[in-house]
Amino acid sequence: MLATPSDVNIKARWIAPMADHGEILEAHTLVIRDGRILDVLPHRAAAERYAPRVELDRPDHLAMPGLVNARTHIGAGAARSESFSGDAALLGIANMLKSGITCFCDAGYFPREVAAAAVQQGLRAVIGLPVAEHSSAWAQSPGEYLTRALKLHDEYKAHPSISTRFAPLRAGFLGDETLARLATLAAELDAGVLVSLHESREDVEASIRLRGERPLQRFLNLGLLGPASAASHLTEVDAGDLELLRRSGAAVTLCLASGLMRGHGVPPIEALAAPPVRVSLGSDGEHCGPGQDLWTEIKLMGLHSPGASPGSVLGAATRGGAAALGLESETGTLEPGKWADVCCVDLSGPAARPPDDPIRRLVFAGGRDLVSDVWVAGRHLLVEGRFTRLDWPELASRLDARSPPAGRPIHTTEAHS
């Protein structure tokens, strides 16, 4: 019997499909064809059944779904910048690839430019279509925000790696009329909504004072909180908010490092992550810089939710992120038929010793230094730590040229204003 052709066979010591909490397959091969996963099976069976064009052996590695950064912000030279920086966007993408992130969700003022950068570098991205009432580099009025959002949505509605969702910015300051128009459009297009809510006690109190309702209740009443919604932060929630989230079907994106850095504290993670709520993780790059380190979020979630299994914590950064962004049928787990969005981590070093429980090791000791390879839709974008598409030496040279001379103080007032 002739062997079935495949593009790439990845032989790994372990494979973590993440379709089930804590599931580990030893001595298995991941078979990829036409950018999608064709099969996952033991090494000997793969050698007998498939004839790969390329075979890669990763004998001390674990192959897992690529991490999904469910909320970030790239492309601005500094927080609240009014101009797009292509190099800042590339730096964010470089950091994401080095961290094993294969899909990200950007919610900022430069959706067109970020989408183009993601396509150019081969990452999967969900682009937030900004909606606001204040002027910005993207639009000058609520009507213009919505018009431009619809145009960009149409441009990418059939794209294989880029999808869009509405992203109301400074949501607590948006009037009911603007949000009602947004709800109508989102329903007509069957489009999702990304929104930051309940970031702090002050955020909730301001909503009660100005609107007469807690933010989650207000968005539910306006038709903007449902199964296609992803609410981020949610640091300040009570029992009523939690029940409302469960009934609405909305997903939750935790941005733990961001909340701690801004003094907002840690949300009730275990309560927010209780089924049936879909929980994901985001680096919230606008506040935490260009590092895009989802491993910090993974570790923080593990430390602050002792009742959660390591598999469920790592799952929040993979299948949880895909589910929150409406991509669970396409990515987030290593299953036949899904896109081959893969992160490979090297467990031969000191941080992973002894590798008796690889998932637990990754949750509490994982980091970008362990990531060796990254594939997105079967394209090998990081090979043993080296970029294949992104020109890092050239980018680093441009970034260095813009850095302040040695000894000159770096002012960060703008980033924290």
Side-chain angles (χ1 to χ4, degrees), residues 74-78 84-94 290 292 395 399 402:
I74 66 173
F84 177 77
S85 169
D87 285 347
L90 289 176
L91 178 59
I93 288 173
Q292 310 296 339
L395 175 59
L399 293 169
R402 295 190 182 98

Side-chain angles (χ1 to χ4, degrees), residues 212-237:
E213 295 175 304
R214 295 172 72 83
L216 280 166
Q217 185 66 61
R218 181 178 179 231
F219 268 70
L220 178 67
N221 292 345
L222 289 168
L224 288 168
L225 197 66
S229 306
S232 59
H233 296 291
L234 299 171
T235 305
E236 189 69 27
V237 291

Side-chain angles (χ1 to χ4, degrees), residues 64-68 100-103 317-319 331-332 334 341-343 375:
M64 56 179 279
L67 302 182
V68 179
I101 294 169
T102 56
C103 176
T318 53
R319 64 177 179 274
T331 189
L334 301 183
D341 296 350
V342 186
C343 167
W375 292 262

Side-chain angles (χ1 to χ4, degrees), residues 354-404:
D356 53 338
D357 187 346
I359 298 300
R360 181 175 180 81
R361 293 284 171 181
L362 285 179
V363 168
F364 294 105
R368 71 183 67 218
D369 56 315
L370 301 185
V371 176
S372 63
D373 299 81
V374 171
W375 292 262
V376 178
R379 296 183 295 267
H380 210 168
L381 301 180
L382 190 74
V383 179
E384 296 182 318
R386 302 186 307 273
F387 297 112
T388 62
R389 184 177 296 194
L390 190 146
D391 189 341
W392 173 248
E394 176 62 27
L395 175 59
S397 178
R398 294 198 303 270
L399 293 169
D400 289 344
R402 295 190 182 98
S403 297

